[in-house]
Amino acid sequence: MLTNSGGPIPPSSPFESPSLRLILLTALTMTAFAANSVLGRMAIGSGETPLIDPATYSAVRLIAGAVALALIVWFSMARRGQSELARSGSWSSAFALFVYAAAFSYAYVALDTGVGALILFACVQATMIGWSLKEGDRPSPLEWLGLLTAFGAFIWLVSPGLAAPDPLAAAAMAVSGIAWGAYSLRGRGLPDPLKATADNFLRSVVFLAPLGVLVAIAGLPVHATGSGLVLAVLSGAVTSGIGYALWYRVLKQIGGTQGAIVQLTVPVIAAFGGTLFLAEAWTLRLAVSSVLILGGVALAILAKQRRG
């Protein structure tokens, strides 16, 4: 719209600015992703008696996510006048999603929020970068510098010592990150990633049955309080389901490289959430390794964009 002088009419409110809306949406999405770690730690690992066991938390989270994403896709299709829902997911992607969620839950039995988020993020990026190398990508010296810096800091973070995280929990979170990295790789180039994610969440529920059998055979405790169930539903429906819907909307506008860079904020936000809601302290090892891992990955991403 133009003024009498021919110039554009400024937005009546700063929130009507498209760029500001995009910034706020991106910040909200990254906060939702970080909240998954905070909610998981609150439900599974905080206090002497956890609010819910990891298997039940995983089950409720996946089911709630499947319901939320199905509703989002259904409303989106109804708005566009579509009636037929094409199945765009796959069983292999659904299995990777299930492994991510289950390993994530068991890891947070013993990991602090920020440490868990940092290990998860580092392993997601390592999986995707490793696949690129396997496919013939040849990083530049600057990319190698960033990758080696991040990898060295990650090894230091999980190496034995007084401030090191629990090794089994760290290994579980590494498995979770590798699974999510594999899921992300399989989802690249899909015409409608939101529909595929909704379908994969629905398919992943099938794998909860063998998980229940394994829990029964191993004699692991199963329990859930009302608060634990609420946290699991919030993680599945809100910070996962709605979070992914927002993410795919944001990603269309900022692109893959910028998307990878803004995700660097997730472990930092998660660590601050752990401090705020769970009184978790920042250790020197966590602070330094966070700077080196996130800085190294950012350097590698930016150098790759420049090379491209």
Side-chain angles (χ1 to χ4, degrees):
M1 187 180 296
L2 302 178
T3 63
N4 292 333
S5 61
I9 297 177
S12 58
S13 166
F15 291 98
E16 295 181 14
S17 168
S19 58
L20 181 57
R21 284 202 302 270
L22 179 58
I23 291 172
L24 292 175
L25 265 182
T26 303
L28 179 62
T29 305
M30 295 305 102
T31 302
F33 287 167
N36 275 322
S37 292
V38 177
L39 293 172
R41 180 61 177 164
M42 288 176 65
I44 300 166
S46 61
E48 294 182 1
T49 304
L51 301 176
I52 190 171
D53 70 277
T56 304
Y57 185 86
S58 301
V60 175
R61 182 187 178 192
L62 288 173
I63 293 170
V67 172
L69 283 164
L71 289 173
I72 291 170
V73 170
W74 184 82
F75 279 118
S76 176
M77 291 176 59
R79 193 176 63 228
R80 296 196 298 260
Q82 299 175 342
S83 57
E84 184 177 351
L85 177 61
R87 302 299 296 273
S88 53
S90 69
W91 286 109
S92 54
S93 293
F95 181 69
L97 177 63
F98 163 76
V99 172
Y100 150 74
F104 178 96
S105 298
Y106 279 96
Y108 269 126
V109 170
L111 289 181
D112 280 352
T113 308
V115 173
L118 187 59
I119 293 173
L120 176 72
F121 168 82
C123 290
V124 170
Q125 295 299 317
T127 301
M128 300 185 74
I129 291 169
W131 182 259
S132 296
L133 293 175
K134 177 183 178 296
E135 292 296 292
D137 189 29
R138 294 296 175 261
S140 67
L142 201 57
E143 287 176 78
W144 276 119
L145 174 63
L147 295 176
L148 291 174
T149 299
F151 181 72
F154 176 75
I155 294 299
W156 178 55
L157 172 67
V158 299
S159 61
L162 292 177
D166 180 274
L168 290 178
M173 190 60 83
V175 170
S176 180
I178 292 169
W180 187 252
Y183 181 84
S184 300
L185 286 167
R186 291 189 55 81
R188 291 193 304 187
L190 289 176
D192 195 332
L194 182 58
K195 280 186 181 178
T197 299
D199 191 12
N200 288 327
F201 259 84
L202 184 61
R203 291 171 186 256
S204 71
V205 174
V206 173
F207 298 107
L208 294 175
L211 174 63
V213 172
L214 288 175
V215 168
I217 292 174
L220 299 176
V222 176
H223 69 281
T225 65
S227 298
L229 292 172
V230 168
L231 292 174
V233 170
L234 285 175
S235 179
V238 180
T239 60
S240 293
I242 296 177
Y244 296 147
L246 290 175
W247 175 237
Y248 293 128
R249 178 178 174 184
V250 165
L251 199 58
K252 288 181 181 179
Q253 301 180 64
I254 65 176
T257 300
Q258 287 78 9
I261 291 174
V262 298
Q263 287 187 78
L264 296 171
T265 62
V266 172
V268 179
I269 298 171
F272 277 112
T275 300
L276 181 63
F277 295 104
L278 297 165
E280 294 174 350
W282 281 68
T283 64
L284 179 62
R285 181 184 288 206
L286 173 60
V288 174
S289 59
S290 296
V291 171
L292 292 176
I293 291 173
L294 302 181
V297 172
L299 177 62
I301 291 172
L302 291 172
K304 182 173 183 177
Q305 182 188 37
R306 182 179 178 183
R307 173 166 59 92

